[in-house]
Amino acid sequence: MSSSPPGPAAPVAARLRGVASSPVREILALTEKPGVLSFAGGLPAPELFDQAGIAAAFAAALEPGSAERSLQYSTTEGDPELRRRVADRLSLRGLPTGPEDLLITSGSQQALTLIATVFLEPGDRILVEDPSYLAALQAFQLAGAVPIPVPCDEDGIDPAAVERLVAEHRPKLLYVVPTFHNPTGRTLSEARRVELAAVLERTGLWAIEDDPYGELRYAGEPSTPLAAIPGAAERTLALSTLSKVAAPGLRIGWVRCPAALRTPLTIAKQAADLHSSTVDQAATALWLAHVDLDAHLDRLREVYGERRDAMLELLPETLPEGSTFNRPEGGMFVWARLPEGMDATALLPRAIERQVAYVPGAPFYATTPDPRTLRLSFTTHSPAEIRTGLGRLRGALADA
């Protein structure tokens, strides 16, 4: 423990006062001790990283003749070869994209921050799903914006509610995670995607489509990107990342943006970090050039699908009578609701005492939380570990 006396109070900007620390990060810190089985973080399974392929890509990026470029300053927009390969992949998935449409970012979280910088003034309204991705709420609140929750159900966000709230609040943006949503795992139906695109066209509202999980589908048919639907295409910024399918440590994300926003977003990124890591971008481009990405994704889907199925099979005997949970077709999360009168936040310390963890749902709500909700991630543990962890959770909840 430090014996130094406390220093003077730091003159922290007012914009930080309403932005809370991420409880997910705090829970992850609590669960680092040995023996804890954590269903808290949305973490890819490290044993599925293509360590050999990524190592070879970095070695190639640092060979003589390549290192001079890989270790130098670069353009703000990003490595041209990486942009080309990402654009090709997006086009194959039904979102026609050229390299010039993309800005490479340091993870898709930076893309959210840049968009907030470009669009939002203090006091502006932004529509978000209820509940919504926690780190997005942080980014919008840091910009001084006011998140307005939009009602959702099993089929995702309600387009009619979006239109009503646009008229009521005159928001600057709509933020959605339409495919394998974080935290709920739900997917916006195809019919609602078309309806939502029509609402964007009628109201002139701009949208952020965040899609970090779209390639992790274990059942059902691929979803149409919102940014590919007429009416939405002209006013949707599409974000994604390689964090969930390659490795989060690479910090490679991107934003696909309409032409009118390329210069403002580039200027915002120049002010943030000049450009994302040149060597990471070069190595990632080389990895994409040599990996059989479809085979790699098939492996991820096989393993994660088995883990999802194991969790879904065991949850009925884990959760108290009267609980509900969904059955996501992909992604990383199952969303559960405990019976009336139970509080997932209050129960978390009891779970951690039994060496198991989850994320309470309350922090994901922009305004009024549902204290009974919780998020469970299934990706980082084997079916046997999931059985053990859910057994511990059953004991913790039974003691309530």
Side-chain angles (χ1 to χ4, degrees):
M1 182 180 294
S2 172
S3 59
S4 302
V12 176
R15 72 174 69 92
L16 270 173
R17 292 174 190 161
V19 184
S21 174
S22 167
V24 178
R25 301 297 148 195
E26 294 174 357
I27 292 168
L28 289 177
L30 288 173
T31 60
E32 284 182 348
K33 57 185 181 181
V36 174
L37 290 172
S38 177
F39 303 123
L43 307 179
E47 70 272 19
L48 299 179
F49 295 156
D50 179 17
Q51 296 182 23
I54 292 173
F58 271 95
L62 294 172
E63 287 179 353
S66 298
E68 292 81 0
R69 183 177 66 85
S70 300
L71 297 176
Q72 188 55 277
Y73 283 113
S74 186
T75 58
T76 301
E77 292 84 353
D79 181 284
E81 181 64 12
L82 176 60
R83 292 163 74 199
R84 183 180 72 79
R85 292 195 173 277
V86 170
D88 289 347
R89 186 71 189 179
L90 293 176
S91 299
L92 283 172
R93 295 183 59 212
L95 183 57
T97 303
E100 69 282 358
D101 299 323
L102 297 173
L103 174 68
I104 301 298
T105 58
S106 299
S108 56
Q109 183 64 29
Q110 187 187 48
L112 284 171
T113 303
L114 297 178
I115 293 168
T117 299
V118 167
F119 270 89
L120 299 173
E121 303 283 358
D124 282 344
R125 268 56 176 168
I126 177 168
L127 301 185
V128 299
E129 293 155 303
D130 193 32
S132 187
Y133 173 47
L134 178 58
L137 296 178
Q138 286 181 307
F140 305 143
Q141 290 165 347
L142 186 62
V146 179
I148 304 297
V150 182
C152 303
D153 60 22
E154 293 78 7
D155 290 324
I157 198 167
D158 180 355
V162 171
E163 191 156 18
R164 172 175 56 79
L165 291 169
V166 168
E168 182 177 348
H169 293 281
R170 298 298 174 191
K172 284 281 190 72
L173 285 167
L174 165 69
Y175 172 73
V176 289
V177 186
T179 307
F180 314 136
H181 179 260
N182 184 0
T184 67
R186 66 192 168 211
T187 294
L188 185 63
S189 68
E190 287 294 305
R192 285 198 181 177
R193 289 171 192 253
V194 174
E195 292 173 24
L196 183 57
V199 170
L200 297 180
E201 186 172 34
R202 283 197 299 271
T203 62
L205 182 65
W206 285 77
I208 305 171
E209 179 183 18
D210 199 353
D211 182 32
Y213 310 104
E215 298 222 67
L216 298 178
R217 175 175 284 279
Y218 321 124
E221 296 299 320
S223 299
T224 304
L226 182 64
I229 299 174
E234 300 78 10
R235 55 185 66 258
T236 298
L237 298 101
L239 317 184
S240 194
T241 177
L242 289 176
S243 291
K244 307 304 186 291
V245 301
L250 289 173
R251 308 309 305 136
I252 297 294
W254 57 84
V255 52
R256 176 191 181 275
C257 54
L261 288 171
R262 291 173 196 161
T263 296
L265 284 168
T266 300
I267 292 171
K269 182 164 173 62
Q270 287 170 352
D273 65 359
L274 298 182
H275 59 79
S276 296
S277 165
T278 312
V279 66
D280 286 359
Q281 290 187 72
T284 302
L286 287 163
W287 181 74
L288 289 172
H290 293 97
V291 71
D292 184 338
L293 187 55
D294 288 327
H296 177 69
L297 286 165
D298 284 344
R299 176 62 176 154
L300 295 182
R301 294 174 187 134
E302 177 187 7
V303 174
Y304 291 162
E306 289 176 351
R307 295 176 180 186
R308 178 206 62 165
D309 292 347
M311 178 169 282
L312 293 177
E313 180 183 352
L314 293 165
L315 277 177
E317 63 188 58
T318 300
L319 301 176
E321 185 176 354
S323 300
T324 60
F325 61 92
N326 64 347
R327 295 179 175 273
E329 293 187 329
M332 294 185 162
F333 308 112
V334 173
W335 184 247
R337 178 175 282 105
L338 300 175
E340 191 69 44
M342 298 187 77
D343 186 320
T345 301
L347 291 169
L348 179 60
R350 191 171 305 186
I352 291 177
E353 285 177 4
R354 288 180 172 263
Q355 294 193 298
V356 64
Y358 57 82
V359 177
F364 295 96
Y365 291 85
T367 53
T368 305
D370 183 344
R372 297 181 293 156
T373 55
L374 62 146
R375 190 191 76 179
L376 297 161
S377 176
F378 50 80
T379 50
T380 52
H381 296 297
S382 69
E385 290 170 331
I386 289 171
R387 176 172 292 277
T388 300
L390 291 184
R392 295 174 185 177
L393 181 58
R394 179 174 63 250
L397 297 177
D399 291 343

